[in-house]
Amino acid sequence: MSSIFPGKIQHIGYFARYTSTQIAYNMKPRLTLLLIFCTFAQVLSAQDQPAPKKWGVHITPTSLVNYYPRFRVGTQYMSERYSYLLDVSYANFPSFWGGSNYRKGFSYLAIRPEIRRFITSRPEINSGGLYTSDYWGLELALSHFPLRIEGDAYEATDGEQYSFDEATRLRRQLAVHLKYGTQRIYSKVHIDLFVGVGLRLQHLQYQDVSGQILRFDNPAEEWLISIESKREGWSLRPSLTLGLRLGIGVGQ
């Protein structure tokens, strides 16, 4: 009996090694095919979910819903974590308000460069191709704003107060805004909501003044309490910006 069992044990060992070798040999083609299939599926998945376009153009329709409406257009470039924008605003309405308003007409020109950093990135929502990102932004706004007005008053740089029949109030302004917003991208369409706060350094100057009269009755309580500053010269004021951009991607 002792001579039989060693032979059987040796035979079983040979069989086990042969079987494992055959299994490994037969599995190699299957593993190769599985790897090729997974790679191909990943490529198809990437094609079904294309990355958003890096270059885009946009408009800001909320700039038209304003007491001083203006047209605002711009362009944007997006990298992986940052976005760079440049907006231009323009208006020219020589006669905008009716005869009962002391404001008569205005023109407006502004340039607004901005840099953003994305703080969240959700590549896709509900597998519908909708990409979304939240961001912090820093915006610099330079503007030139002449406003034609009638029957108003102002305080000059020397402290004297004047009333006038007609004048052009020129406001030059530099503003810096810290912004928070969220950007949605569906296919090529961009939707951007934002709000920001900051400071603006402005300079007021009254030009082409007609019918100017020096005031002695100190009318400050009548017309200097206003949302719009009427004092000539430099001033530093808080600033708020908010709006909606609509854009379209145009290229990688």
Side-chain angles (χ1 to χ4, degrees):
M1 294 290 293
S2 61
S3 61
I4 295 174
F5 281 109
K8 290 184 177 181
I9 292 172
Q10 185 177 13
H11 178 71
I12 292 172
Y14 286 147
F15 179 76
R17 287 195 296 272
Y18 174 78
T19 302
S20 61
T21 302
Q22 290 297 317
I23 290 174
Y25 177 79
N26 292 330
M27 285 296 292
K28 284 182 179 180
R30 292 176 173 84
L31 290 174
T32 303
L33 290 174
L34 181 62
L35 181 61
I36 293 173
F37 176 78
C38 291
T39 304
F40 183 69
Q42 185 175 6
V43 170
L44 288 179
S45 177
Q47 291 177 350
D48 291 338
Q49 303 173 13
K53 299 292 186 180
K54 290 184 176 181
W55 280 104
V57 294
H58 55 257
I59 60 173
T60 308
T62 48
S63 293
L64 294 172
V65 187
N66 195 303
Y67 197 77
Y68 301 108
R70 72 289 306 259
F71 301 98
R72 181 171 169 180
V73 298
T75 184
Q76 176 179 203
Y77 176 79
M78 290 185 293
S79 63
E80 184 177 354
R81 298 296 298 176
Y82 291 90
S83 178
Y84 309 92
L85 298 91
L86 180 63
D87 282 19
V88 176
S89 301
Y90 176 77
N92 185 19
F93 298 103
S95 180
F96 186 77
W97 291 275
S100 61
N101 198 305
Y102 77 96
R103 303 174 182 88
K104 295 307 171 187
F106 73 98
S107 62
Y108 184 88
L109 177 64
I111 300 176
R112 310 172 78 102
E114 179 182 346
I115 182 172
R116 298 173 175 176
R117 188 182 191 279
F118 297 114
I119 54 177
T120 63
S121 180
R122 298 179 290 276
E124 196 174 13
I125 298 179
N126 298 330
S127 300
L130 179 63
Y131 298 82
T132 174
S133 295
D134 302 330
Y135 62 85
W136 289 104
L138 184 65
E139 179 188 62
L140 181 68
L142 299 165
S143 63
H144 179 87
F145 177 31
L147 173 66
R148 193 66 182 171
I149 50 183
E150 292 181 355
D152 202 7
Y154 72 98
E155 182 177 335
T157 54
D158 58 5
E160 298 289 353
Q161 299 175 4
Y162 298 90
S163 62
F164 56 84
D165 294 333
E166 191 172 358
T168 297
R169 185 174 70 203
L170 174 60
R171 186 182 73 189
R172 299 184 180 94
Q173 180 174 284
L174 170 63
V176 179
H177 299 121
L178 179 63
K179 300 168 66 175
Y180 177 81
T182 180
Q183 183 168 268
R184 304 292 189 261
I185 302 175
Y186 184 77
S187 184
K188 294 182 178 182
V189 179
H190 295 198
I191 303 174
D192 182 10
L193 293 167
F194 62 87
V195 62
V197 295
L199 293 173
R200 54 188 172 98
L201 178 65
Q202 71 175 26
H203 181 266
L204 284 185
Q205 182 180 4
Y206 287 81
Q207 301 175 337
D208 303 325
V209 181
S210 63
Q212 178 170 286
I213 301 175
L214 179 63
R215 301 288 293 265
F216 298 99
D217 53 350
N218 190 21
E221 66 276 4
E222 299 177 10
W223 50 265
L224 287 180
I225 301 175
S226 173
I227 297 176
E228 296 178 322
S229 175
K230 298 185 179 183
R231 291 183 173 91
E232 271 196 321
W234 293 98
S235 63
L236 186 64
R237 292 173 168 267
S239 184
L240 172 68
T241 181
L242 55 90
L244 166 70
R245 285 189 179 98
L246 299 176
I248 185 170
V250 295
Q252 295 290 349

